[in-house]
Amino acid sequence: MLGAGWLNIGSLVFGLIAWALPVVILAQGNKAKARNRVAFCAAASLSACAIALWMQILYTDHLVKIEDWSALMDTSSAVALVAGLLLTVAIVLNAITFIVYRGK
């Protein structure tokens, strides 16, 4: 198994993907082609968000297993805040994408 540090990097990458996908769809100039991809983009974006959050849960589980209580105490508030921010922004970006392409 890869080192536990890769879970944080993977979480960051998947979080950025979760935000980038709806932004790319919104930035596309050709609305007709983008309209066909909106549902797939939203599913992929929210899936990437879920994977990012799952990786953070796995990292927290790793810290519990190695009994690194100080790391848990130091990072738990920040992880909870960033996880909420990731989820909120992903949902808002996907909602905006659906609103822009609604009925077109």
Side-chain angles (χ1 to χ4, degrees):
M1 182 176 161
L2 294 173
W6 285 101
L7 291 171
N8 286 327
I9 294 169
S11 180
L12 177 64
V13 169
F14 277 103
L16 291 173
I17 290 169
W19 287 356
L21 286 172
V23 170
V24 167
I25 291 293
L26 287 169
Q28 282 187 339
N30 190 344
K31 301 283 185 186
K33 285 185 179 179
R35 182 178 3 153
N36 298 330
R37 299 183 203 143
V38 170
F40 172 76
C41 172
S45 171
L46 294 176
S47 294
C49 182
I51 292 168
L53 294 173
W54 175 64
M55 289 179 134
Q56 282 303 307
I57 291 169
L58 288 176
Y59 185 70
T60 300
D61 182 56
H62 166 73
L63 293 177
V64 169
K65 285 180 182 174
I66 65 170
E67 298 181 3
D68 192 350
W69 308 122
S70 62
L72 282 167
M73 289 187 292
D74 290 345
T75 61
S76 65
S77 295
V79 169
L81 177 68
V82 172
L85 180 67
L86 169 65
L87 185 60
T88 302
V89 172
I91 289 171
V92 168
L93 286 172
N94 282 292
I96 291 169
T97 303
F98 274 118
I99 290 168
V100 168
Y101 289 99
R102 176 186 66 211
K104 290 188 179 184

